[in-house]
Amino acid sequence: GKADDQAAVGTDFEPDVYKAAKEEFEAIWRQYLSELEVFKLRSAEGEAAPGRLAKDGDEKRLAELATFVSHTCKHYDFAAQRFGPQLCRLLKDRCVGLAPELRLSLVQACVLARSRGLLDPVVLLDLCFELIRRVRDKGLRQYLRDHVVGDVRRAAKGGGG
């Protein structure tokens, strides 16, 4: 019957799907780490001018990869442990020199990592307050304020983690 067909497909098919998904994630994770290192090197050498996207789209690519990884790394321990703290470190070290679009994307990735239990809430709150203090970006500051207020409210209701 139909249930037998689904069970047969499930047992034969799923390991291959999971293996393929893990291999694809690993490839994207390596791309993310590579883009992160290239970005760090370029910004350290002064090649990426603050406040604008790099001419070859490095910052846009880094933002896209960070967003994707923030949505998926929860399922892969090797990435889940490193992602949030690594991103927080980058934001703390380079927040002033980042293009506003990249900075917001990276902060949003940190917030998602925190909501998925991959980043300690105190670490994220510390980052938020530091960014509010150091960055004069009205849109980012509003996003951070909204996040901090919401996170504190959830914690006060017993829903924060």
Side-chain angles (χ1 to χ4, degrees), residues 29 32-33 36 40 82-91:
W29 175 249
Y32 164 74
L33 293 176
L36 187 62
K40 286 179 185 177
R82 294 174 57 191
F83 180 71
Q86 193 176 53
L87 216 48
C88 282
R89 204 167 28 259
L90 174 70
L91 282 162

Side-chain angles (χ1 to χ4, degrees), residues 104-115:
L104 180 59
S105 290
L106 298 181
V107 168
Q108 289 170 334
C110 285
V111 169
L112 184 58
R114 184 268 182 257
S115 73

Side-chain angles (χ1 to χ4, degrees), residues 15-33 61 64-65 68-69 72-73 75-76 78-79:
D16 291 339
V17 170
Y18 293 134
K19 183 179 178 196
K22 183 178 182 199
E23 288 171 358
E24 185 174 348
F25 179 81
E26 288 170 345
I28 292 169
W29 175 249
R30 286 190 300 273
Q31 287 176 352
Y32 164 74
L33 293 176
R61 181 74 180 141
E64 290 168 354
L65 287 166
F68 178 82
V69 170
T72 55
C73 72
H75 305 289
Y76 305 97
F78 63 90

Side-chain angles (χ1 to χ4, degrees), residues 1 21 25 29 38 42 48 74 84 94 104-105 115 127 131 137 148 150:
F25 179 81
W29 175 249
V38 167
R42 285 196 176 156
K74 176 181 181 178
R94 315 251 164 122
L104 180 59
S105 290
S115 73
L127 173 67
L131 293 176
D137 175 339
V148 169

Side-chain angles (χ1 to χ4, degrees), residues 107-160:
V107 168
Q108 289 170 334
C110 285
V111 169
L112 184 58
R114 184 268 182 257
S115 73
R116 294 181 176 224
L118 304 176
L119 187 60
D120 184 280
V122 175
V123 170
L124 182 56
L125 287 174
D126 180 57
L127 173 67
C128 290
F129 286 119
E130 185 163 340
L131 293 176
I132 288 169
R133 185 176 56 82
R134 293 177 58 197
V135 178
R136 301 290 173 232
D137 175 339
K138 188 175 179 178
L140 177 70
R141 291 165 61 108
Q142 182 65 44
Y143 178 83
L144 292 168
R145 186 190 74 80
D146 292 347
H147 168 70
V148 169
V149 169
D151 208 37
V152 170
R153 281 186 180 149
R154 279 187 298 281
K157 289 180 181 177

